[in-house]
Amino acid sequence: IAIGEGVMAQTDDCNIRLSGVVIDSLDQTPLNNTQIALVGVKNFEVVTDNDGKFIIDHLCPGDIELHISHLNCEHLHIHI
């Protein structure tokens, strides 16, 4: 699993938007139905669409840790 180059963040207090594309690190294809959870935030998870894209809105400034998991891949932790 890898996060594509399209990761973007826009800030304004707790109005940060994080968006990107999850791709397979072996064949570079988008990974749909990938779960992306915010570590330390209870019951928060988004799932990538058919093109591997995701959007997370309303984040606050500070360290963000993502736990990315897909059925056929190793799990990945990313600090942003």
Side-chain angles (χ1 to χ4, degrees):
I1 297 176
I3 293 287
E5 296 175 16
V7 173
M8 174 182 76
Q10 300 171 339
T11 68
D12 184 16
D13 295 327
C14 285
N15 216 5
I16 296 173
R17 169 178 273 190
L18 177 65
S19 62
V21 178
V22 178
I23 57 173
D24 188 304
S25 61
L26 298 176
D27 63 13
Q28 306 302 305
T29 58
L31 288 173
N32 65 334
N33 294 321
T34 301
Q35 291 83 27
I36 302 172
L38 289 175
V39 176
V41 178
K42 189 176 182 178
N43 298 324
F44 183 87
E45 182 177 283
V46 296
V47 178
T48 59
D49 66 12
N50 288 335
D51 298 318
K53 296 178 183 177
F54 69 93
I55 296 174
I56 302 172
D57 282 321
H58 306 295
L59 294 171
C60 297
D63 292 333
I64 297 171
E65 183 178 354
L66 302 176
H67 177 221
I68 303 170
S69 59
H70 187 273
L71 182 63
N72 299 320
C73 301
E74 291 184 35
H75 294 199
L76 181 66
H77 283 267
I78 295 179
H79 288 84
I80 299 175

